[in-house]
Amino acid sequence: MSGRRIHDMGGLEAGPVDRQDHKHEPWEKRMDAIRMLCSKHGLLRVDEMRRNIEDLGPGAYDKLSYYERWCASVTNILLQKDVITVDELGRKMSEVEQRWTKARKP
């Protein structure tokens, strides 16, 4: 695979593609809405999304799902453009984790 990046699957055996519709999780729908809003307001372009997904590297790219890659890409773009800061992101992630933990307790 000399010269290929992890996302470049062209010409490789990958098996059949499942083309059936599937139910999207609520967070996946939210991720799509966030991406559309960011695009609508000029905060990101499709080529930026693709570049940031392709730059994830083999470890992250292989482990993340389709929408998780989108989430990582949008997050990186907003950080790169100083729309959000690492500190703001960390605080919000902590808040969400606390709500998640609290909601899961019996």
Side-chain angles (χ1 to χ4, degrees), residues 1 4-15 61-62 69:
M1 288 193 44
R4 285 184 188 252
R5 293 182 67 191
I6 190 66
H7 67 278
D8 185 1
M9 303 292 290
L12 299 176
E13 276 297 318
Y61 189 90
D62 288 336
R69 291 178 194 146

Side-chain angles (χ1 to χ4, degrees), residues 27-28 31 56 60 63-73:
W27 76 268
E28 293 172 325
M31 188 66 248
L56 288 173
K63 290 177 184 153
L64 298 177
S65 71
Y66 183 80
Y67 284 101
E68 288 171 332
R69 291 178 194 146
W70 275 27
C71 185
S73 179

Side-chain angles (χ1 to χ4, degrees), residues 78-93:
L78 296 178
L79 288 167
Q80 292 161 5
K81 293 184 175 186
D82 294 323
V83 175
I84 60 173
T85 67
V86 171
D87 186 55
E88 290 169 327
L89 178 61
R91 282 196 313 269
K92 184 52 78 174
M93 288 173 69

